[in-house]
Amino acid sequence: MAPDVFSVIVSGRMLSRFAVSGGQFLQWRFLAPGLWWHAHPYSLSALPRPPYLRVTVKGLGDQSRAVARVKPGTRVIVEGPYGTFTRHRLAAGRVVLIGAGVGVTPLRALLEDLPPSTPVAMVVRARSSAHVVHGRELSELVAHRGGLYHELCGTREDVGLDERTLRRLVGSLHDADVFVCGPDDFTESVVATARRL
């Protein structure tokens, strides 16, 4: 797992009836000191495996770092799901997934939920391969589909994701649904590049 990133697995009753799609997020309220009063929106980082749900969190602030210290057995209230970042939005013949940082977690769940015949190309941006969140899982899921998987590692200045690089890695975007998730500046830049292509 990448530095300062951790997964929390919770169990619950009747999760087999939980209507959630890969890419959606839930509101998580951990009933622990300092956390019970505030819900946090975290995307599932895998499809539910009843009786379990998994969320992956990066310790960016006091609250998210505190989640890493939640003791086993702590009760959790989960509300949702929310969001349309799902396979139900598919309109083209193939899918391109582009993520950075902990933003790859909804992409990882979405990848698992795509129809089996959907061609996939995935690009993950990170400081180093050690910073790729769920990198092994991502590469295995893409390989299982016979897709293309690329990790772009290095500083933002050294390793950019410009039009030429994106075209070289994933080909034409005219026949693709493009899903992007990551820090705001990364997402805005990639979406603008994808639109130009």
Side-chain angles (χ1 to χ4, degrees), residues 86-100:
T86 70
R87 64 182 168 82
H88 304 292
R89 304 288 290 188
L90 297 178
R94 66 189 186 96
V95 171
V96 174
L97 306 172
I98 306 171

Side-chain angles (χ1 to χ4, degrees), residues 8-16 18 20 26 28 44-55 78 112:
V8 177
I9 298 171
V10 298
S11 63
R13 296 182 302 276
M14 297 186 290
L15 286 182
S16 60
F18 189 41
V20 63
L26 307 168
W28 299 77
L44 291 175
S45 57
L47 286 181
R49 297 277 188 262
Y52 302 109
L53 296 175
R54 183 180 81 178
V55 63
V78 179
E112 192 177 12

Side-chain angles (χ1 to χ4, degrees), residues 131-159:
H131 287 84
V132 176
V133 178
H134 297 306
R136 182 175 169 196
E137 292 178 25
L138 293 170
S139 64
E140 288 175 358
L141 285 167
V142 173
H144 181 72
R145 293 174 165 275
L148 301 171
Y149 177 77
H150 303 281
E151 290 181 3
L152 296 180
C153 297
T155 66
R156 292 179 189 181
E157 295 76 27
D158 293 339
V159 183

